[in-house]
């Protein structure tokens, strides 16, 4: 085994007893690049992994893979994990990608990354826009997926090699592990080497990487005695005696690295390879493992030792210039010593990059670093920090060394660590930012800066651990020196941390206290806005109606001039929805709240109110308008974590969606998996968690249990003055639960739900309430209510509810002997159910059609939801304010046909009639 060749990637002596592994390498590269006979073949990649203890030959195999890949004209990307760089976020990612990115300019970077540029640029070491925010970690991983996928296609075939993966930084290893399954569908081979015993407990997913890709990692075994005989005689000559060779195997355990070092030492000391000299081998082998290397280093002199120490401290970022600076050597002397250390088998003669300095083997690097005296090691890390910062490598590179320095109350260190934390946050690495800021606190900062550092520390954990954030922010508020603007920012973040942890009452109290002490009108208004918001989310709010009255009075004269006013108007819009006030009023407040825009990612304001404004449009029959506003906000809310209001809302929505599609068993599985068993969370969530559970029980025909849950929902919401049946139709659902055993009470509840729906005024709410009233009615009244429900739902974007009402209306007409009228409704309901993906509902429509002797016709698949020419024509006229009769006259259609066409428009455009005027001028709905 030729270690120099293995490090350089150049062909050397054959790798002993690695035929199976080399065969796997050849097969993987052939799969990636084709047979090479000129025939066009589909190229596919995957993962190949080599595992084993230190010195067993993983690096040699990966070097051979790189050599063969280069020979097949592959683009080879290489990185190595560093024992002392594990805390440097995206260190491995940058090693992999920067050689490719460095070959082109910023214009090409922006072309390749497109809209991902500002999200991904900091992670890969590019310069981000000055106003780029702090992305969430998942967004960075998604952007890296996009970048590497694109590079894999543009530079195909690509071989990405990661050596010493057990030392890779957590952010890079997490991305690498999640990305790996994609390699099978790309012209890309991922090759990795690692020590299983040195993987952290957090690397469980990486351990399973090879298994997920369909094959186990290649576990490298020690060399057999026969292989050791071959290697010893290759170095020491064929005259090496069998007994001597067997003793070489015994003292090294067949470890290739130790064997190479041992034979080199035997050769240097001119020991004859005879059985009579085997007693000297154990001493030599012991020095190989322990201090033999250090003795060899000391014999090279003090300058060589300092240079080796400097390279060990710098790690994978070591260059001749940086090493010279840290070791206090001249450039010429450094160049001579690098050659000298290479001849002594301490440094590698050739490296992956010409401008770097590397040790011959990671075991040597570890031994040299640990041999540096403690005080000297700390001092050299200080020199390294200054050197990398002066070289323009950035605060994060310097921060890594500052973490190893002793605290000395140095303001420069504090500022550099804070800057490093900001860089990490911009790169989507909050854990790395947290480590820097915790170290900055230990420096410590001057009194005037301590609150700011605590605030930044709290911000670094706000998306990943809201509960942890609370302690840092409370400590920041208690600091004696606190700027008013910083105090406001800390208070807002503290309230958000409480809220995201489900502690709404504490969130409300902290902003209420700040509102009382504020001397600035602007600050007071801001705190009032946040207080109203967090109270709106409280499930235990003591006097919700009084809060609504105060909010209504406060916004009477607001025009939306600033963000605080727009947030208050947004809260007023949602409060109007909850209390069932006319939808037109809620929409008016929502439009005023939008004003010049509400940011989802403003660090000082949060995403909650923009989400509520979006939901206002949703419940006011303008879901198309809501969708364009809500997507990004909900994505950010989801990042807050598990067992939070955001997760309650997501799971509740999923359960309702599955129930709407008739997938009751699947909805039950989801509810059980996430613990949605009727427990009421401490925060108000949308949809109401207990209502969703009641709906699930109702779908399973557990009427009594559903009735108890839904009655409890009613008592809770009535006490808070929340009465909108569109948002929380507890009365309608309770009437269905009571209908089998108490039809009179069921009818009363249905009538009250209908009254409230008419007060709110949207066609979807009225149509749903009419449909529910029909479900508990008897005789001719049922037919009349269903017909009216269909009429309202046709004027709304509620596609599923319309399909359900059409099928129920058709079924009712069939039962009273009107098959022709029933058939038309059932055909329309079947088409709507299929478009909604509601297979169970579609199956019921088919059964009803069969019962009257009709066969379901071949339906038009309307996958694009494009408007037909007639729909476009009626939509344009409706947007200009023409009534149905006027549209019918203008187009020569029956008024009933106009109503039917408009119903399709509302579903496809995602709005009601009032919203058409806004939707159509922005572009042809056929393009939506």
């Amino acid at each position: 085994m030729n270690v120099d060749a293995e490090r350089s990637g150049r062909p050397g002596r054959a790798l002993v007893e690695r035929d199976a592994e080399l065969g796997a390498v050849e097969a993987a590269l052939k799969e990636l690049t084709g047979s090479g006979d000129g025939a066009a073949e589909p190229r596919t990649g995957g993962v190949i992994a080599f595992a084993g203890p230190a010195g067993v030959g993983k690096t040699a195999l990966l070097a051979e893979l790189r050599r063969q890949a280069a020979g097949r004209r592959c683009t080879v990307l290489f990185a190595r994990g560093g024992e002392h760089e594990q805390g440097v976020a995206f260190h491995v990612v940058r090693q992999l990608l920067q050689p490719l990115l460095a070959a082109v300019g910023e214009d090409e970077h922006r072309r390749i990354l497109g809209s991902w540029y500002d999200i991904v640029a900091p992670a890969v070491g590019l310069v981000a826009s000055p106003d780029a925010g702090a992305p969430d970690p998942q967004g960075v991983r998604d952007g890296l997926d996009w970048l590497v996928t694109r590079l894999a296609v543009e530079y195909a075939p690509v071989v990405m090699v990661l050596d010493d993966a057990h030392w890779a930084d957590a952010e890079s290893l997490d991305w690498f592990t999640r990305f790996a399954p994609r390699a099978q569908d790309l012209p890309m081979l991922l090759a990795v080497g690692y020590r299983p015993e040195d993987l952290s407990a957090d690397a469980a997913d990486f351990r399973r990487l090879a298994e997920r890709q369909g094959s186990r990692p290649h576990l490298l075994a020690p060399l057999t005695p026969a292989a050791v005989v071959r290697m010893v005689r290759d170095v020491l000559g064929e005259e090496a005696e069998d007994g001597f060779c067997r003793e070489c195997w015994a003292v090294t355990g067949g470890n290739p690295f130790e064997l190479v070092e041992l034979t080199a030492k035997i050769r240097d000391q001119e020991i004859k390879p005879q059985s009579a000299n085997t007693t000297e081998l154990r001493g030599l082998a012991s020095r190989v493992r322990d201090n033999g290397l250090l003795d060899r280093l000391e014999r090279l002199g003090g300058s060589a030792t300092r240079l080796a120490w400097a390279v060990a401290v710098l790690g994978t970022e070591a260059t001749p210039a940086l090493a010279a600076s840290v070791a206090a050597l001249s450039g010429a002397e450094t160049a001579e010593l690098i050659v000298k250390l290479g001849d002594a088998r301490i440094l590698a003669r050739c490296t992956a990059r010409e401008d770097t300095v590397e040790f011959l083997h990671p075991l040597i690097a570890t031994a040299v670093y640990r041999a540096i005296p403690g005080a000297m090691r700390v001092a050299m890390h200080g020199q390294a920090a200054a050197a990398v910062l002066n070289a323009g490598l950035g605060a994060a590179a310097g921060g890594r060394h500052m973490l190893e320095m002793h605290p000395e109350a140095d303001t420069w260190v504090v500022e550099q660590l804070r800057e490093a934390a900001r860089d990490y946050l911009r790169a989507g690495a909050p854990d790395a930012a947290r480590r820097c800021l915790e170290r900055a606190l230990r420096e410590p900062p001057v009194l005037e800066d301590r609150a700011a550092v605590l605030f930044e520390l709290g911000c670094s954990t706000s998306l990943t651990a809201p509960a942890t954030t609370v302690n840092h922010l409370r400590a920041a508020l208690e600091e004696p020196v606190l700027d008013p603007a910083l105090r406001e920012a800390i208070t807002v973040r503290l309230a958000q941390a409480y809220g995201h942890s489900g502690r709404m009452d504490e969130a409300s109290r902290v902003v209420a206290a700040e509102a009382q002490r504020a001397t600035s009108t602007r600050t007071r208004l801001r705190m009032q806005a946040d207080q109203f918001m967090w109270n709106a989310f409280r499930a235990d709010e003591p006097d919700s109606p009084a809060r609504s009255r105060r909010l209504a009075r406060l916004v009477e004269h607001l025009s939306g001039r600033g963000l605080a006013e727009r947030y208050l108007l947004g809260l007023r819009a949602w409060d109007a929805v909850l209390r069932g006030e006319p939808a037109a009023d809620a929409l008016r407040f929502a439009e005023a709240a939008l004003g010049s825009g509400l940011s989802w990612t403003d660090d000082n304001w949060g995403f909650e109110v923009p989400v509520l404004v979006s939901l206002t449009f949703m419940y006011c029959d303008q879901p198309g308008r809501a969708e364009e506003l809500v997507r990004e906000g909900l994505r950010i809310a989801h990042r807050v974590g598990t067992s939070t209001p955001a997760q309650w809302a997501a799971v509740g929505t999923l359960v309702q969606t599955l129930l709407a599609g008739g997938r009751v068993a699947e909805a039950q599985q989801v509810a059980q998996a996430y613990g949605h068993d009727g427990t009421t969370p401490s925060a108000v969530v949308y949809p109401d968690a207990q209502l969703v559970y009641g709906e699930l029980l109702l779908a399973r025909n557990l009427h009594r249990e559903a009735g108890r849950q839904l009655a409890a929902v009613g008592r809770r919401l009535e006490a808070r003055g929340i009465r909108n049946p569109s948002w929380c139709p507890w009365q309608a659902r309770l009437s269905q639960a009571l209908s089998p055993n108490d039809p009179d009470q069921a009818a009363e509840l249905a009538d009250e739900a209908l009254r409230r729906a008419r007060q709110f005024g949207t066609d979807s709410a009225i149509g749903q309430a009419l449909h529910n009233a029909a479900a508990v009615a008897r005789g001719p009244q049922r037919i009349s209510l269903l017909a009216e429900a269909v009429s309202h739902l046709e004027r709304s974007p509620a596609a599923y509810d319309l399909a359900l009402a059409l099928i129920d209306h058709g079924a009712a007409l069939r039962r009273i002997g009107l098959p022709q009228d029933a058939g038309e409704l059932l055909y329309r309901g079947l088409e709507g159910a299929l478009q909604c993906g509601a297979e169970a509902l579609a199956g019921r429509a088919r059964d009803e059609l069969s019962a009257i002797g009709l066969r379901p016709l071949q339906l038009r698949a309307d996958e694009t939801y494009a408007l037909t020419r007639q729909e476009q024509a009626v939509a344009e006229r409706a947007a200009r304010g023409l009534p149905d009769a006027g549209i019918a006259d203008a187009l020569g259609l029956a008024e009933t046909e106009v109503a039917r066409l408009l119903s399709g428009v509302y579903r496809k455009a995602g709005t009601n009639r009032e919203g058409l005027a806004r939707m159509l001028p922005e572009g042809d709905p056929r393009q939506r």
Side-chain angles (χ1 to χ4, degrees), residues 79 129 156 173 393 443 493 618 635 666 753 795-796 851:
S129 301
L173 193 63
L393 298 184
E443 187 62 19
R493 278 302 180 97
M618 177 70 72
R635 184 182 70 82
E666 191 174 347
R795 299 194 292 271
S796 83

Side-chain angles (χ1 to χ4, degrees), residues 398-436:
R400 192 267 286 188
H401 296 288
M402 292 178 187
L403 293 176
E404 305 296 332
M405 295 162 56
H406 292 319
E408 293 181 350
D410 189 330
T411 57
W412 179 79
V413 170
V414 172
E415 186 50 43
Q416 292 302 320
L417 287 168
R418 291 175 69 186
E419 183 60 34
R422 287 190 282 270
D423 286 349
Y424 281 136
L425 287 176
R426 283 191 289 266
D431 282 344
R434 172 186 54 78
R435 289 191 294 270
C436 290

